[in-house]
Amino acid sequence: GIQVEQSPPDLILQEGANSTLRCNFSDSVNNLQWFHQNPWGQLINLFYIPSGTKQNGRLSATTVATERYSLLYISSSQTTDSGVYFCAVLAHRNTGGFKTIFGAGTRLFVKA
Amino acid sequence: EAQVTQNPRYLITVTGKKLTVTCSQNMNHEYMSWYRQDPGLGLRQIYYSMNVEVTDKGDVPEGYKVSRKEKRNFPLILESPSPNQTSLYFCASSVSTGEQYFGPGTRLTVT
């Protein structure tokens, strides 16, 4: 099945710093999402980005589908950015359904 | 507002006492699924539904039941909960293979 690997596993930033999170996947995909899981456990949709580049405020993401990776950029980090960032791709089942496969996540802590 | 809702958000129960976690979406999505999240194991799919009256097992279906009588609702039923079902549960919906939307999660503790 498809493997999703994220790096780095842990990241500590000083408030105001920039960072890049990486997601590698082992097979071609037509669906890729980035989520932020906040300290309360909620999964927040950041980007739906099977290919190309998108920006939303201080966050942006780029997926290069042909090279099987995606990057999430966080600029001018804030303490509220702390949490776990997941990359997730869709895998089809033989029965016709599908499931979302999550990477292990990058745990980010932003210090004030 | 487009959203997926789950109830209850927190639940502490005892072994063997049947419970239902409700999930509802207002986006007219065909596809809905349930996941559980456990430390070190990540998120794993329990059951999914491709449309009304069409459900199938995910990766960890043992001990769970689901039903899809209406397009908007996809309840998760634990007939006889056990401590190993203590977990954080998420419901999700989407239009086919499009963007997945997740509910806020339900923290379940079975003692």
Side-chain angles (χ1 to χ4, degrees), chain B:
Chain B
E1 179 190 354
Q3 60 182 350
V4 179
T5 57
Q6 295 179 225
N7 282 291
R9 296 287 314 282
Y10 304 90
L11 180 60
I12 300 174
T13 189
V14 296
T15 299
K17 186 176 181 181
K18 181 179 179 180
L19 66 92
T20 299
V21 184
T22 64
C23 173
S24 183
Q25 50 93 5
N26 63 1
M27 295 169 279
N28 202 36
H29 287 167
E30 299 91 12
Y31 199 87
M32 298 183 75
S33 58
W34 277 101
Y35 294 82
R36 59 177 290 175
Q37 184 179 27
D38 302 288
L41 297 175
L43 284 100
R44 295 175 292 170
Q45 190 181 55
I46 304 171
Y47 267 95
Y48 65 92
S49 169
M50 292 166 62
N51 215 322
V52 176
E53 302 292 2
V54 182
T55 64
D56 208 345
K57 297 177 181 179
D59 296 316
V60 287
E62 295 77 20
Y64 304 95
K65 286 176 57 177
V66 293
S67 67
R68 187 91 182 272
K69 295 184 171 58
E70 305 166 282
K71 198 170 187 179
R72 63 183 295 127
N73 296 323
F74 190 44
L76 180 70
I77 303 158
L78 285 73
E79 294 268 2
S80 183
S82 63
N84 65 12
Q85 292 178 297
T86 292
S87 187
L88 177 58
Y89 291 86
F90 290 99
C91 178
S93 75
S94 67
V95 175
S96 186
T97 58
E99 185 174 4
Q100 296 266 304
Y101 293 85
F102 283 79
T106 295
R107 288 193 184 274
L108 172 65
T109 301
V110 184
T111 61

